[in-house]
Amino acid sequence: MANKVRPVVQMAVAWSPYPEFTHGTEGGLPLLPVGWAPKPLLATVRQLKTLGLRPGGHDPVAVLYGYSRTGGAQWFANLYLISTAKPMLAMTPAKWRALAKANLARRCCPECGRDRGYIIAPSLGMCFPCVEDSENTDPATPSEVAA
Ligand SMILES: [Zn+2]
């Protein structure tokens, strides 16, 4: 796999009043190789999250790129201005209730209606005892799994 050679271009950027060196553009945004992005000014979504921030509706101002260590595949990540990021939304009691309700719905078997204490596999659509019962068509050998 031959890595594309990208020319170094000096261009106007959102994070600096002066033209900065980039590797051209990707999707209309300045493209920066790993190590070129100014860490105090730009961050990826995950880096914002570790800072307790979120993009807050702002569009990315640059694209970071690098190569996978194992496969050599190229990867891209959007970079956001830390100065325009907003604090992460706090969990309210209503949000916790909604989350608990959604998790309960994932644990309840639609066949027997019981809270199984684990996530019902969507590929099965029912809990393991119900799968056992539906597969066991011979009435002489009842299911060993306690319901
Ligand atoms: Zn069930």
Side-chain angles (χ1 to χ4, degrees):
M1 189 190 308
N3 292 344
K4 185 180 170 188
V5 177
R6 297 180 186 272
V8 175
V9 183
Q10 200 173 22
M11 60 192 300
V13 293
W15 64 89
S16 170
Y18 311 105
E20 296 279 342
F21 289 109
T22 69
H23 275 195
T25 58
E26 178 74 28
L29 294 170
L31 184 66
L32 298 170
V34 167
W36 280 33
K39 281 206 169 156
L41 301 174
L42 301 175
T44 64
V45 170
R46 283 189 184 180
Q47 288 168 337
L48 285 177
K49 198 172 179 185
T50 60
L51 296 170
L53 300 169
R54 62 189 167 99
H58 291 284
D59 290 324
V61 294
V63 176
L64 186 74
Y65 84 98
Y67 296 93
S68 155
R69 246 175 272 156
T70 50
Q74 200 169 32
W75 56 262
F76 296 92
N78 286 333
L79 289 171
Y80 297 86
L81 283 174
I82 294 175
S83 57
T84 61
K86 291 177 181 171
M88 275 199 295
L89 297 174
M91 285 296 280
T92 61
K95 278 177 146 186
W96 282 116
R97 275 197 301 276
L99 189 63
K101 196 176 163 189
N103 282 329
L104 178 67
R106 293 180 72 196
R107 291 194 313 265
C108 277
C109 172
E111 275 303 298
C112 60
R114 293 183 192 173
D115 179 359
R116 285 297 177 184
Y118 55 84
I119 305 292
I120 305 297
S123 57
L124 299 174
M126 59 181 95
C127 67
F128 296 126
C130 287
V131 171
E132 291 266 321
D133 288 344
S134 66
E135 285 173 350
N136 186 8
T137 51
D138 185 4
T141 56
S143 173
E144 293 296 313
V145 179

